[in-house]
Amino acid sequence: MQILQTIIGGQGDGILVPVPQYPLYSATIALLGGSLVPYYLEETANWGLDVNELRQSVNQARYKGITVKAMVIINPGNPTGQCLSEANLREVLQFCFEENLVLLGDEVYQQNIYQDERPFISAKKVLMDIGPPISKEVQLISFHTVSKGYWGECGQRGGYFEMTNISPETVDQIYKVASISLSPNVPAQIFMGLMVNPPKPGDISYDQFVRESKGILESLRRRARIMTDGFNSCRNVVCNFTEGAMYSFPQIRLPPRAIEAAKQAGKVPDVFYCLKLLEATGISTVPGSGFGQKEGVFHLRTTILPAEEDMPAIMDSFKKFNDEFMEQYEDHRGYSRM
């Protein structure tokens, strides 16, 4: 919020934000009187980022009289759970260089990675590897937090941002904005100190730290696989693997009769589905419409945080509900999940 407050001066200032997106961005941009400029991630390419889509979004915004000032990336993704490749990050940085955009790198899930093929790579590392003139000119603000990693899991709130290639005069103004918040969150600052300066080899707590953190991440990796496989075993449900972060974002292929039933109930179709799921199973999820999605496509977001021993039963409960829901609303048994 502090950075967006610094960037946005009025309705003519636009911020490129990925869709599906974490609603904090759209809400904050609206609150500050700016304009959200969406760019759509490609689900069939494992929620990849297409630079052509970025250019199209910027051109459409300019046609409306909006000056695009900054671009947000969420890596690993929320709610989509993908990790951006180094090649993708290079394209983004080149694009920001060409368009004179500040890059806002939301990297708060960087410790939560559940595969080896596509590791987390920070935007700053890629920027420095590219070299001049891009590495000296692209303005980058990187965000991290204790809240989202395996220490906090949303229970502890504390974070920081690092500014790269931001002028000293601008940094001074941002410090002024930050100084308005006068009451520090003391426990979160302790957590932050531990996050940026963890136990080192030879420290009395090092072995326990390694054992516990490795155990948590390995369990989360197994939970991500159980959940993804569970969703993909369900009728009319398809789900990309959760490469990182802590969410699964399956697409629910809702039959026309279910969409009509939702309309009759005065509900958005995926809201209708999620409410029915909650009533039948007690499983609480967030409809994909809360994050933005392409017209006529429906999702839900859920976390992979339930206890590992509970996960099989949760997915069995979901599958039972989904089968009964599809049986109720499909016109015939042959409705395709592809």
Side-chain angles (χ1 to χ4, degrees), residues 27-298:
T28 304
I29 291 166
L31 179 66
L32 297 174
S35 293
L36 184 142
V37 181
Y39 65 91
Y40 285 91
L41 302 176
E42 183 50 59
E43 185 170 10
T44 57
N46 201 32
W47 298 111
L49 190 157
D50 185 350
V51 174
N52 293 324
E53 174 76 23
L54 290 176
R55 291 198 175 93
Q56 186 176 349
S57 295
V58 169
N59 290 337
Q60 289 174 351
R62 286 174 177 159
Y63 181 76
K64 298 175 184 176
I66 297 169
T67 301
V68 181
K69 287 191 164 184
M71 174 183 172
V72 174
I73 57 171
I74 307 176
N75 180 40
N78 177 9
T80 46
Q82 87 287 1
C83 292
L84 293 178
S85 67
E86 183 174 356
N88 230 176
L89 287 167
R90 282 178 171 270
E91 289 179 316
V92 167
L93 290 162
Q94 178 69 40
F95 175 79
C96 290
F97 176 71
E98 294 170 359
E99 300 292 341
N100 194 28
L101 303 178
V102 180
L103 181 60
L104 308 181
D106 181 339
E107 300 174 336
V108 300
Y109 295 99
Q110 61 185 263
Q111 292 166 306
N112 295 63
I113 306 298
Y114 312 124
Q115 38 70 47
D116 300 320
E117 294 75 23
R118 200 182 330 218
F120 166 78
I121 305 172
S122 70
K124 184 176 181 181
K125 181 183 188 309
V126 177
L127 177 63
M128 296 298 106
D129 287 348
I130 290 175
I134 293 178
S135 63
K136 297 292 186 181
E137 295 187 26
V138 170
Q139 294 180 307
L140 169 66
I141 302 176
S142 305
F143 300 88
H144 194 22
T145 177
V146 72
S147 170
K148 305 304 183 185
Y150 55 83
W151 293 300
E153 289 191 352
C154 301
Q156 297 291 335
R157 298 291 182 175
Y160 67 83
F161 56 85
E162 181 190 25
M163 296 174 279
T164 303
N165 295 330
I166 307 295
S167 71
E169 295 80 9
T170 301
V171 172
D172 287 343
Q173 298 305 314
I174 293 172
Y175 266 109
K176 288 182 183 179
V177 173
S179 297
I180 295 171
S181 302
L182 295 177
S183 301
N185 179 343
V186 175
Q189 289 196 75
I190 294 170
F191 267 77
M192 284 299 304
L194 292 168
M195 186 180 81
V196 300
N197 187 25
K200 298 176 176 60
D203 290 349
I204 192 170
S205 58
Y206 178 75
D207 290 343
Q208 182 177 349
F209 167 74
V210 171
R211 183 172 64 254
E212 290 185 359
S213 57
K214 183 179 179 182
I216 292 169
L217 288 171
E218 287 178 348
S219 176
L220 286 168
R221 181 180 288 222
R222 291 191 294 270
R223 282 181 262 177
R225 177 54 65 191
I226 292 169
M227 185 163 278
T228 304
D229 290 346
F231 282 134
N232 284 321
S233 73
C234 293
R235 195 160 150 191
N236 300 337
V237 179
V238 290
C239 185
N240 286 320
F241 178 65
T242 302
E243 294 182 336
M246 53 179 68
Y247 308 107
S248 192
F249 197 63
Q251 182 182 149
I252 314 295
R253 306 280 173 85
L254 293 175
R257 283 181 56 206
I259 296 172
E260 181 58 32
K263 183 179 179 182
Q264 294 297 323
K267 304 290 185 186
V268 176
D270 50 13
V271 173
F272 178 79
Y273 180 92
C274 289
L275 287 173
K276 292 289 188 184
L277 172 65
L278 178 62
E279 291 165 1
T281 67
I283 299 172
S284 177
T285 59
V286 184
S289 50
F291 302 94
Q293 54 195 350
K294 291 183 178 179
E295 187 72 27
V297 181
F298 307 106

